[in-house]
Amino acid sequence: MIGLQPEWLRFVADGVGETARGRLTRTRSVFTGCGTSFHAAQTGGDAVQALEPVLRPERDADVLVCVSHEGTTRLTLEAAEGWNGPIWLVTGASESPLAGVADEVVVCAPELEDSWCHTASYTAAVAALAALRGEDVSWLPGAVAEVLAGPRLPVSEHERWLVAGAGRDWPTAQEAVLKLREGAHVAAEAHQTEQLLHGHLAAVDEHVRVFVLEGEGRAADRAREAAAALEELGAPVTLVSTRHPVVDIVPFQLLTVDLAEARGVDPDPIHRDDPRWARARAAYA
């Protein structure tokens, strides 16, 4: 699925990018989802994890934009059912429980992704949200193809991993960590750059593999300072240049696959091929 992303992104560019581009620029929207879909939702604008609008449905927004690849996520559906206003759904399925309550359904994928460690469905949703906000997404397939053909982040034997980012890069940091946890089963954590510098460094040392997403402007200044502080601690740190959330997540998807292979892990079932994790998933709806 990682390798199919240029094709899926062309599907978005030729579909959403042409027919619905900019349609959300005229609304006050709040975005929601769970897991990978929540990370995608954050790239759209003001976003809350799906449980939050269930707990407090009143929001200063006109439209609720739900992100759910299969359209079946329980809490996202609850959030939609409690919303008093128009609902948009960004999804991979034209028919689903969420599609049934949505006023607008934006199908952003040519098919449903089989792997539970979602990759192509994430970048497709992020690209669709960008198009709905009025961005030109036609360049994204080529940019992702370049990353896929380029150098990869190195695999190592570290047991702790950390990804930091700010602003536009904060959703990428969270999604990168989720891939590492789901696909390679490593202890990974995401930190906002400024939060990392205000206390969290106390538990970081040479045993933690760190990536700092550079960003731009003031975020880049702080990212470089964070990298310098991490170097003082002896932590192996890489300052990663960034362009766009769709492009920037791909190196971490590839790292997850490479790390999983090195450790003899199947990344697709996200540990549910082990009976203990299967029982844990069965414990909640």
Side-chain angles (χ1 to χ4, degrees):
M1 295 307 302
I2 294 173
L4 288 177
Q5 286 177 112
E7 179 183 328
W8 279 40
L9 291 168
R10 280 190 289 271
F11 176 90
V12 175
D14 294 341
V16 183
E18 292 297 326
T19 62
R21 183 176 173 185
R23 289 191 61 193
L24 284 180
T25 59
R26 299 182 295 274
T27 66
R28 294 184 307 157
S29 303
V30 62
F31 300 80
T32 195
C34 294
T36 287
S37 292
F38 173 55
H39 301 156
Q42 289 180 84
T43 70
D46 182 20
V48 288
Q49 209 279 340
L51 180 57
E52 297 306 313
V54 172
L55 299 176
R56 185 173 66 83
E58 300 80 13
R59 300 279 163 175
D60 186 21
D62 303 314
V63 176
L64 177 68
V65 181
C66 300
V67 183
S68 176
H69 183 52
E70 296 181 357
T72 58
T73 308
R74 176 184 174 183
L75 265 294
T76 308
L77 180 59
E78 287 187 34
E81 290 173 337
W83 181 257
N84 184 25
I87 298 165
W88 283 51
L89 173 64
V90 175
T91 184
S94 59
E95 297 183 2
S96 69
L98 267 165
V101 301
D103 299 282
E104 298 275 356
V105 177
V106 177
V107 177
C108 64
E111 60 185 277
L112 290 178
E113 184 168 359
D114 291 332
S115 173
W116 286 339
C117 194
H118 286 176
T119 53
S121 54
Y122 172 77
T123 52
V126 173
L129 291 171
L132 291 171
R133 294 196 316 274
E135 286 188 30
D136 176 14
V137 298
S138 62
W139 65 279
L140 292 174
V144 168
E146 290 177 6
V147 175
L148 290 171
R152 295 159 87 118
L153 297 173
V155 169
S156 69
E157 297 182 357
H158 291 88
E159 291 302 324
R160 285 186 61 199
W161 300 69
L162 189 155
V163 184
R168 175 194 66 190
D169 299 326
W170 175 229
T172 303
Q174 296 170 80
E175 177 63 11
V177 162
L178 180 58
K179 294 308 97 171
L180 289 167
R181 294 180 69 93
E182 286 182 327
H185 312 167
V186 296
E189 54 200 79
H191 291 284
Q192 292 180 324
T193 307
E194 202 60 26
Q195 284 298 96
L196 178 64
L197 295 174
H198 284 81
H200 292 283
L201 285 175
V204 179
D205 57 22
E206 67 275 12
H207 302 294
V208 185
R209 180 66 171 99
V210 185
F211 299 92
V212 180
L213 304 178
E214 185 174 24
E216 55 190 0
R218 192 70 178 108
D221 296 337
R222 294 303 272 171
R224 287 188 286 269
E225 290 173 355
L230 289 157
E231 288 174 352
E232 290 293 334
L233 294 170
V237 57
T238 301
L239 186 65
V240 182
S241 62
T242 58
R243 300 173 62 190
H244 190 282
V246 166
V247 182
D248 302 335
I249 192 58
V250 178
F252 293 98
Q253 295 172 343
L254 295 169
L255 174 61
T256 297
V257 169
D258 293 343
L259 191 60
E261 182 178 1
R263 299 187 177 203
V265 171
D266 181 355
D268 290 326
I270 60 174
H271 220 164
R272 295 178 194 167
D273 49 346
D274 184 303
R276 186 152 57 119
W277 275 264
R279 289 194 303 271
R281 178 60 186 91
Y284 60 95

